[in-house]
C-alpha cells in the first residue's frame, strides 16, 4: 500500500488522474472500475482536460461502475449512470456500449447482480479500480459489517451514508434506502486499486483503513491485503498520518 500525499483537492485530483492516464496509455483497451460521489469529480475533470488536448484516448476503454441506487432510472439526475454521463462519458470518446452501471430498476435483484458479476469476468476483470472512502470506512456501498467474500449485491444503506448523500437530493426522504454495489471480493480482484480521499472528515476512516485492524467493521481495511493499492489523499485527509 503506497501513500501519495497531495496538498489539496485539486492536487489530489491531478495526481489520481495521472495514474489513470498511465493505465490507459500502457493498456489502451483496459477495464476501469469507476466511482461516483464528490471525491472523483476533480479527477474526471482533469482526464477530460487531457482528452481535449489530445493527450488521452478512451476509444478502447471499458468501464465498470461500482454502484447504483436501487429504484432510480438511468435518466434520473441522481442516478449514478446520469452522474457518469455528466462528469465523464459525455465529454470523451468512450463507447457507451462498453460502459456498465448496475441496473437500478432490475426487478430480480439476485439475477441482475449475478449477471453483473458474470460481465466483469467476460470483460477480463478490472485493471484499475477507482475508489473513494466513506466516513464510516465504506468502499462502494459496502457498509460496516459487510462480509468480505460478497460479490455484487443489494445493500441496505446506513443512516450515516444516507446523511452524507442527502446533500445531492431535495431532502433526506428522497435518498434511496438501498443500492447495488460491487462486493469486497470484486474490488479485491482488481489488479490495481486507486483510492482518493480529501478533507478532514475522511481522516479517521483513512487512518483506520491503513493502520487499523482488518475487520468488516471498517470495510476499507481489507485493502491492506491487496498487493497494489495507491492512496492519493490531501493533507487534511492525512492529518493522522
Amino acid at each position: 500500500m503506497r501513500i501519495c500525499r497531495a496538498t489539496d483537492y485539486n492536487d489530489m485530483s491531478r495526481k489520481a488522474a495521472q495514474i489513470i492516464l498511465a493505465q490507459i496509455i500502457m493498456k489502451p483497451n483496459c477495464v476501469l472500475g469507476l466511482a461516483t460521489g464528490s471525491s472523483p469529480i476533480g479527477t474526471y475533470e482533469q482526464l477530460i482536460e487531457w482528452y481535449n488536448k489530445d493527450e488521452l484516448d478512451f476509444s478502447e476503454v471499458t468501464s465498470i461502475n461500482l454502484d447504483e441506487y436501487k429504484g432510480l432510472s438511468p435518466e434520473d439526475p441522481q442516478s449514478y449512470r446520469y452522474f457518469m454521463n455528466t462528469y465523464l462519458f459525455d465529454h470523451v470518446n468512450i463507447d457507451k456500449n462498453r460502459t456498465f452501471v448496475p441496473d437500478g430498476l432490475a426487478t430480480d435483484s439476485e439475477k441482475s447482480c449475478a449477471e453483473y458479476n458474470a460481465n466483469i469476468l467476460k470483460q477480463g476483470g478490472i485493471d484499475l479500480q477507482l475508489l473513494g472512502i466513506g466516513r464510516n470506512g465504506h468502499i462502494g456501498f459496502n457498509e460496516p459489517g459487510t462480509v468480505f467474500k460478497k460479490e455484487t449485491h443489494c445493500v441496505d444503506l446506513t443512516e450515516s451514508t444516507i446523511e452524507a448523500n442527502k446533500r445531492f437530493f431535495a431532502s433526506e426522504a428522497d435518498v434511496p434506502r438501498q443500492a447495488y454495489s460491487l462486493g469486497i471480493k470484486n474490488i479485491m480482484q482488481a489488479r490495481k486499486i486507486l483510492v482518493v480521499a480529501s478533507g478532514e472528515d475522511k481522516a479517521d476512516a483513512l487512518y483506520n483503513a491503513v493502520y487499523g485492524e482488518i475487520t468488516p467493521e471498517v470495510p476499507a481495511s481489507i485493502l491492506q491485503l491487496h498487493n497494489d493499492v495507491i492512496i492519493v489523499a490531501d493533507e487534511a485527509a492525512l492529518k493522522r498520518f
Side-chain angles (χ1 to χ4, degrees):
M1 187 177 286
R2 290 173 285 165
I3 309 292
C4 179
R5 188 177 291 268
T7 55
D8 55 21
Y9 179 81
N10 290 334
D11 189 37
M12 177 206 76
S13 299
R14 184 175 180 84
K15 284 180 165 67
Q18 287 172 335
I19 294 168
I20 297 173
L21 170 70
Q23 174 65 64
I24 296 172
I25 290 173
M26 289 187 297
K27 186 179 179 182
N29 64 339
C30 64
V31 178
L32 298 178
L34 299 180
T36 54
S38 56
S39 295
I41 289 176
T43 299
Y44 295 148
E45 289 174 344
Q46 181 63 70
L47 292 172
I48 292 167
E49 180 181 327
W50 288 332
Y51 168 77
N52 288 331
K53 293 179 179 178
D54 294 325
E55 297 174 5
L56 192 53
D57 179 13
F58 285 86
S59 63
E60 296 181 55
V61 170
T62 296
S63 72
I64 295 172
N65 256 75
L66 264 176
D67 41 31
E68 178 61 283
Y69 285 117
K70 185 176 182 179
L72 298 190
S73 73
E75 293 76 28
D76 190 302
Q78 303 305 331
S79 75
Y80 286 158
R81 164 58 76 177
Y82 192 97
F83 177 102
M84 291 307 306
N85 288 342
T86 300
Y87 289 105
L88 183 62
F89 298 157
D90 285 347
H91 307 285
V92 298
N93 63 334
I94 197 167
D95 180 353
K96 286 189 181 179
N97 291 319
R98 293 207 305 271
T99 63
F100 301 100
V101 181
D103 181 5
L105 298 180
T107 55
D108 186 333
S109 295
E110 288 191 15
K111 179 182 178 184
S112 180
C113 290
E115 289 174 347
Y116 206 69
N117 289 328
N119 186 51
I120 296 172
L121 296 177
K122 179 181 177 182
Q123 303 306 323
I126 295 171
D127 291 301
L128 184 151
Q129 177 65 61
L130 176 63
L131 297 174
I133 183 171
R135 284 179 284 185
N136 61 3
H138 75 246
I139 45 178
F141 273 129
N142 295 286
E143 301 284 12
T146 301
V147 177
F148 284 154
K149 66 180 181 181
K150 275 194 174 183
E151 296 183 292
T152 307
H153 59 293
C154 185
V155 182
D156 293 323
L157 302 183
T158 64
E159 287 304 315
S160 64
T161 297
I162 292 169
E163 175 70 20
N165 289 345
K166 73 177 184 180
R167 67 187 187 278
F168 301 113
F169 293 82
S171 70
E172 181 181 313
D174 294 321
V175 183
R177 266 44 186 177
Q178 291 183 306
Y180 294 107
S181 179
L182 289 189
I184 298 291
K185 182 176 179 180
N186 300 113
I187 292 169
M188 291 295 287
Q189 287 174 337
R191 296 176 184 91
K192 179 188 292 288
I193 296 174
L194 170 61
V195 182
V196 291
S198 175
E200 191 172 333
D201 62 333
K202 301 296 179 70
D204 288 341
L206 196 59
Y207 182 85
N208 291 334
V210 175
Y211 293 116
E213 176 187 359
I214 298 173
T215 169
E217 296 309 311
V218 183
S221 65
I222 191 68
L223 299 178
Q224 295 176 37
L225 300 180
H226 195 282
N227 63 4
D228 193 356
V229 176
I230 303 175
I231 296 173
V232 183
D234 63 16
E235 295 289 352
L238 291 171
K239 64 173 291 186
R240 294 190 60 189
F241 284 70

